[in-house]
Amino acid sequence: MSGERATEPGGAVIRVLLADDEHLIRGALAALLALEDDLRVVAEAASGPEALAMARAHRPDVAVLDLQMPGSDGVAVADALRVELPECATMIVTGHGRPGHLKRALAAGARGFLPKTVSARRLAEIIRTVRAGNRYIDPELAADAISAGDSPLTAREAELLELAADGAPIAEIAERAALAPGTVRNYLSSAVAKLNAENRHTAAHRARERGWL
């Protein structure tokens, strides 16, 4: 039954998946969206893996994904759904709208990118917009992304900087990345120089602030 498209007197109902690890926020959104005649929340999730499982089980029309969730973030989920369920439009909702996140979201096929400060009524409108095949990007987040520019880091530099962000020693980073310690040092030194930082920890912080990690 979950794969069927229910209808109401006004037309087809848009079936929605809500994914957010904050239960109160997710529950409040579900309750508010339930007030809209043409929207139906068919599944909820509190983590990236759970969001994927719920999407596979319920095949929603639109998936509203929190950017930062346990297991895998909303962008990774959107990227997976683009391949597995291309008919499901994805939206990223975030409380941390950093420029690099928007670019990653667009690259993953997300059709919406908006802050958590948006009203439930506006969220409902945007859900309809992306379901219709259009795109919605919050204007302020878009302006920030343009002004920030692209990340100067290579994929490998970003990967190793992410591993270094929690203070892990070179030997541990090298083991986790399956690289020689000297190679790791070279990559991290390059990342530090590109970000004009004092050390790898400061570099990781700056990269995260810009959404490049």
Side-chain angles (χ1 to χ4, degrees):
M1 295 294 291
S2 63
E4 296 179 0
R5 290 294 182 265
T7 58
E8 298 287 350
V13 170
I14 300 173
R15 305 170 75 255
V16 180
L17 161 67
L18 286 180
D20 193 308
D21 62 333
E22 296 186 58
H23 178 74
L24 288 176
I25 291 177
R26 192 177 72 248
L29 279 179
L32 290 168
L33 291 179
L35 300 176
E36 303 288 333
D37 292 338
D38 61 337
L39 302 182
R40 180 173 301 158
V41 177
V42 296
E44 298 180 36
S47 69
E50 187 180 4
L52 281 174
M54 290 294 100
R56 291 165 182 149
H58 296 274
R59 306 185 76 84
D61 298 309
V62 178
V64 181
L65 309 168
D66 186 19
L67 175 65
Q68 297 186 336
M69 294 185 290
S72 58
D73 66 12
V75 173
V77 174
D79 200 26
L81 291 179
R82 176 178 56 171
V83 176
E84 294 190 40
L85 299 173
E87 69 278 9
C88 175
T90 56
M91 299 167 47
I92 302 296
V93 183
T94 176
H96 311 279
R98 298 189 176 108
H101 295 152
L102 171 56
K103 294 182 181 181
R104 286 182 56 230
L106 294 178
R111 302 207 63 81
F113 194 87
L114 55 150
K116 283 189 174 182
T117 52
V118 71
S119 69
R121 178 60 60 87
R122 184 68 180 125
L123 176 62
E125 293 173 354
I126 296 168
I127 289 173
R128 298 182 186 105
T129 294
V130 301
R131 172 57 178 160
N134 300 310
R135 192 188 303 277
Y136 176 83
I137 307 298
D138 178 77
E140 290 189 12
L141 295 179
D144 288 344
I146 292 171
S147 63
D150 295 324
S151 171
L153 303 174
T154 66
R156 179 65 88 175
E157 288 167 351
E159 174 194 357
L160 295 177
L161 205 56
E162 182 74 58
L163 293 175
D166 59 1
I170 293 293
E172 180 181 332
I173 296 170
E175 182 177 354
R176 292 166 65 184
L179 293 171
T183 302
V184 170
R185 286 193 187 91
N186 290 337
Y187 276 119
L188 290 177
S189 294
S190 176
V192 167
K194 286 180 178 180
L195 296 175
N196 194 28
E198 294 79 18
N199 52 56
R200 61 180 183 269
H201 308 302
T202 302
H205 176 74
R206 289 182 182 174
R208 280 183 170 172
E209 282 296 307
R210 291 163 174 79
W212 293 337
L213 295 186

